[in-house]
Structure formats: structure tokens, C-alpha cells
Amino acid sequence: MRDVNRTGILIVIIMGTTMAGIDSSIVNISLPVMSKQFNCTLSEIEWVITVYMLSFSVLMPLTNWLKNRIGFFNLYIGAISLFTLGSLLCALSTTLPSLLVGRVVQALGGGAMAPTSMAIISYVFPARVRGAVLGWWGLGNLVGPAIGPTLGGILTEQFGWPSIFYINLPIGVITVILSFKYLDVLRSQPKLKLPFDLMGFTLLTVFLVCLQYGVARAEVLGISSPEILITLGVALVALICFVLLDRRQKAPIIDLQLFSNYSFVSCILVTISRAAALFGGLFLMPFLLQEQMGFSEGVSGLLILPNSAFMAALMPFAGKWSDKHGSREISMLGIMLLAVSMYLFSILDRGSDIWSVITAMTVRGLGMGLLLAPLNAATLSSVRPAEVTMASSVSTLMQQVGGAIGIAVLAIITQTTYNNHVLAGATSMRAHHLALREGFNISLIILLVTLVPAWFLPRRNVVLKDVDAHIDT
């Protein structure tokens, strides 16, 4: 094809993924403020995060089918538009249910951005430059989650929590306009009318929704209540049916043959447990900084900055290290540092100084920086080239599911611990501190257990050959 502006294409997809990445972390710092305005409990406000992650994960398996059916151009434009509309709905919300509806719409767009962007890069850029391009895209993909908490704290303190959603509107509109200018070349992409695995998608959706709902409601109703037992039972039945049905499908929504790959399964187990611990810990962090230690939203956001800075600084080094020496050792070091950070967070209280917070954030950033790139490299190198897109989608799906379950479980644990200490005569502030400490300790234990599957990560990351770009120079 002629007149392909690859730089413009890269800028457009970086803008989209960065915007979605910011939103994945910008909301956490505003949760205490939202909780007060909507007069809801910790277990209720966690749905602002959980419903986004759950909706995000439900859409993820559809991405591969959609890009073949409607093409990259329509899928990317649709994703950006939905995300921008969802942001507007969130900003205009006056109740918790209306905010949750906006978050679902956001997630329907956000869930398609990252895998679609990866597919566009593979489609547009030749193999000889694809690694460098993915590096730039990865940096943009990292910037969003890195600056989200700091930006969210400043915006919430100065303009109120709706501003964290309003900021997406101009970015989304500009991205759509630039998409029509630079991505127009993708309109000629061949479209494949693959059969849609409706039954598989339905069963997977039922499993994900029932699992998350059951875990979240267990804190209120009790794990032995009939409603929870029935809900979790439906989730189990849906999962079993999905697995049995997958073997009979010519084009399954998820190819379960991937899970016969020993190395891939090790990577996925690390991804799930890491996400459960870290998303749950990130959910608790603003409550520790603001309600226990008395920091404002803006200061809380700035205190998270060392975590982001060290994570960004170490990721390129960790990626190069894993290419040369494998992912196992450096990933395990990252997990251990993350476990240490959870211990440091657990001992913080109102009397702790600001340097104790900065130390904990720095250790967390070092651990994240050493773990993320090597784990992603190990995941993609553990499968055949034809399986990379599906493996990436499965990995992202498992990360979202693990994170959603981690948040729900830690919310249950902290709320139960709080209630028990209040009944035992502790003050509300003391009970809240002990509950948060328990949550961080659980995250620490999860990370230590993660060392077991991490030991089975590949010793060497094999660089797989790939096909050249579909768009000729």
C-alpha cells in the first residue's frame, strides 16, 4: 500500500492505550471521596473498580473475532468512541448505580484497545522494526497506569472526582479525529466471516459474572448463604460446560489447547496471583494514605509517584535482562520485592513519617519494574507464533479476572476484620487500621505463594520468528 504514515498510526494507537491505561489507575485515589459522597461502604465502592475490570475481561475474548469480522479500523474507532462516551456518563453520575453503568460502557471500549493496538502494529509494521515499535507502544502503555494515581489525586483535590473522567473527553475526541486521518489505510484490510462461538462466549460470560458477583456478595450474605452457593454453583457449571464445549468448536472463543503448554500455564498462574495481590493492595492504598495517615488526595497521588518512576525506569532494563538471561530469576526477585513492600505498607500508621511511605512505594516500584516486562516476555515466548494473539488475550483476561477477585476478596477480609474489631470494643479508627493491615498481610502471603509457579517460568526466552507486515512499504 502507498502513503502509509506509520508514525501517525503509532501516535494514534499510543494515545488510545495511554488514555485507557490512565483510567485503569486514576480512579483508585478518588475512591474515598466517592465513598463519602455516595454514602456507601468499602465493599460497595469497590464495585467502581471491579465492574470495570469484569466488563473489561468479558469483552477481551471477543477482540480476536471482532478484528477479523469488522476490521481494525472499525474496531479501534468503536473502542475509542465507547470509552469516551462511558467517561462522559461517569462524570455526569449522581448515584453509585449510574456511575457503575458508565464504568461498564467505558470498559467495553477500553477492553478492546490494547489487543487491537497490538494487532495493528503486527499488521502495519514490518518484522525488522516491530520490536522497537512495540517498545515505544509499551512505554505509552506504561505511562497511563504510572501517572494515573498522581494525576487523579491532583484533579480530585482541585476540581472534584468527576474531573478524572472529564479529562478523557478532549483526548478521546482528538484520538477519533486522528484515527480517521491516519488509520484510514486499514479500511482495506481483508475481513473474515468466521463463525461466532455464541455458546462459548455466553458460558464464559456467565462464569465470569457469577464468580465475581458471588465473591463480592459473600461479604454481605455470608459464604454459606443459599444465594451465594447457587451463584457460585452456576459459575462452576458454566465453566465445566465451557471446557467441554471448547473441544468441539472449530473456532472457539478461547483455545484451551494453550493450557496444555506447561510453560504458558506457569506464566498464567503467576499473572493471576500477582494481579490478585497487587490490584487488591492498590485498592486499599488510598484508604491507608487518606483516612488513616491524613494525607490529602493530591499529596496521596504524589506519594505514589516514586512507585511509578522506579517501575518505568526499570522495565527496559528488566526486559533486556530477560532476553539475555531468561525471566525466572528476575521475576522471582520482583515478586519478593513486592512482598516486602506489602509488609512495609502493613506497618504504616498515623504516626509514620512521609519517608516511610516513600520507602514502601519505592520498593513496590522496583518490584513491579523487575516483574512486568520479563513476565510478559516469558508468556509470549512460551507459545508458537500463530498462538501469540490468543495467548496475549488470555493473559490479559486472566490478569483482569485475578485483579477483580483480589479486590473483592480483600474487601471482604477488611470489612469482616473491621466488624470483628468493632464488636470487640475497638474504636472505628483503630478497627479500620487493623483491617487495612490484614488486607496488606493477605497480599503479602499471596505474593509469597506466587514464588512457586514463578520457579517454573522458562529459563530462557526464545525469540520466535514472525511474519512480515501485511502493509508493504
Side-chain angles (χ1 to χ4, degrees), residues 328-343:
R328 179 189 298 181
E329 288 76 13
I330 195 168
S331 295
M332 294 184 70
L333 177 59
I335 293 170
M336 287 187 284
L337 286 173
L338 287 170
V340 171
S341 74
M342 290 300 167
Y343 170 75

Side-chain angles (χ1 to χ4, degrees), residues 16-33:
T17 52
T18 300
M19 181 173 66
I22 289 176
D23 203 77
S24 69
S25 61
I26 197 173
V27 176
N28 295 73
I29 204 72
S30 304
L31 290 179
V33 179

Side-chain angles (χ1 to χ4, degrees), residues 21-352:
I22 289 176
D23 203 77
S24 69
S25 61
I26 197 173
V27 176
N28 295 73
I29 204 72
S30 304
L31 290 179
V33 179
M34 294 178 184
S35 179
K36 291 178 182 178
Q37 178 170 330
F38 295 136
N39 191 28
C40 54
T41 65
L42 184 68
S43 60
E44 292 171 334
I45 199 64
E46 59 101 357
W47 278 97
V48 175
I49 304 297
T50 301
V51 76
Y52 181 89
M53 298 174 66
L54 183 59
S55 302
F56 190 100
S57 64
V58 166
L59 185 74
M60 186 66 62
L62 278 179
T63 305
N64 189 59
W65 181 83
L66 283 172
K67 75 177 178 65
N68 288 314
R69 188 76 176 187
I70 65 176
F72 294 130
F73 179 83
N74 293 324
L75 179 55
Y76 194 75
I77 291 289
I80 294 291
S81 301
L82 269 178
F83 187 86
T84 305
L85 174 62
S87 297
L88 177 61
L89 294 176
C90 289
L92 297 175
S93 299
T94 56
T95 63
L96 181 59
S98 62
L99 177 59
L100 296 181
V101 171
R103 291 289 280 170
V104 170
V105 176
Q106 265 194 320
L108 293 178
M113 283 189 204
T116 304
S117 298
M118 291 277 289
I120 290 174
I121 289 175
S122 296
Y123 185 77
V124 172
F125 293 89
R128 63 181 182 274
V129 299
R130 201 171 296 155
V133 172
L134 284 171
W136 282 106
W137 176 80
L139 181 60
N141 204 24
L142 171 66
V143 167
I147 67 175
T150 302
L151 181 62
I154 295 173
L155 288 175
T156 300
E157 185 174 25
Q158 297 298 322
F159 306 104
W161 67 262
S163 63
I164 67 176
F165 298 110
Y166 276 126
I167 195 175
N168 290 331
L169 303 186
I171 302 175
V173 171
I174 292 173
T175 304
V176 169
I177 293 173
L178 292 178
S179 295
F180 276 98
K181 179 178 181 180
Y182 293 113
L183 300 186
D184 188 67
V185 67
L186 298 178
R187 288 178 183 269
S188 61
Q189 174 204 1
K191 299 177 179 63
L192 304 175
K193 292 186 177 180
L194 297 176
F196 178 58
D197 183 10
L198 178 61
M199 183 59 69
F201 175 72
T202 301
L203 290 171
L204 181 61
T205 300
V206 170
F207 164 69
L208 292 171
V209 172
C210 289
L211 175 65
Q212 180 58 49
Y213 177 82
V215 172
R217 290 288 290 169
E219 186 271 329
V220 178
L221 303 176
I223 192 66
S224 60
S225 72
E227 179 181 335
I228 300 304
L229 293 177
I230 292 173
T231 302
L232 294 179
V234 171
L236 179 61
V237 171
L239 178 61
I240 293 173
C241 292
F242 173 76
V243 172
L244 295 176
L245 182 67
D246 181 84
R247 299 176 181 177
R248 303 177 183 178
Q249 299 297 313
K250 294 182 179 179
I253 201 75
I254 290 180
D255 185 3
L256 295 182
Q257 290 299 318
L258 285 172
F259 292 93
S260 63
N261 183 326
Y262 176 82
S263 298
F264 178 73
V265 170
S266 298
C267 295
I268 292 301
L269 289 175
V270 174
T271 297
I272 293 173
S273 54
R274 184 265 301 176
L278 295 184
F279 277 100
L282 185 62
F283 169 71
L284 297 176
M285 204 175 295
F287 294 93
L288 172 67
L289 296 177
Q290 295 174 41
E291 297 185 357
Q292 282 297 313
M293 305 189 71
F295 294 113
S296 67
E297 293 87 355
V299 173
S300 297
L302 290 173
L303 286 174
I304 297 176
L305 194 57
N307 169 85
S308 307
F310 280 97
M311 180 172 64
L314 275 184
M315 279 192 70
F317 160 78
K320 291 181 180 179
W321 174 277
S322 64
D323 286 340
K324 293 182 178 180
H325 307 288
S327 296
R328 179 189 298 181
E329 288 76 13
I330 195 168
S331 295
M332 294 184 70
L333 177 59
I335 293 170
M336 287 187 284
L337 286 173
L338 287 170
V340 171
S341 74
M342 290 300 167
Y343 170 75
L344 294 176
F345 282 121
S346 73
I347 62 176
L348 293 175
D349 55 29
R350 185 169 289 272
S352 301

Side-chain angles (χ1 to χ4, degrees), residues 292 417-418 421 426 429-439:
Q292 282 297 313
T417 304
Y418 173 84
H421 283 292
M429 182 63 71
R430 176 63 177 168
H432 188 247
H433 175 247
L434 293 174
L436 291 174
R437 174 178 290 183
E438 183 72 11

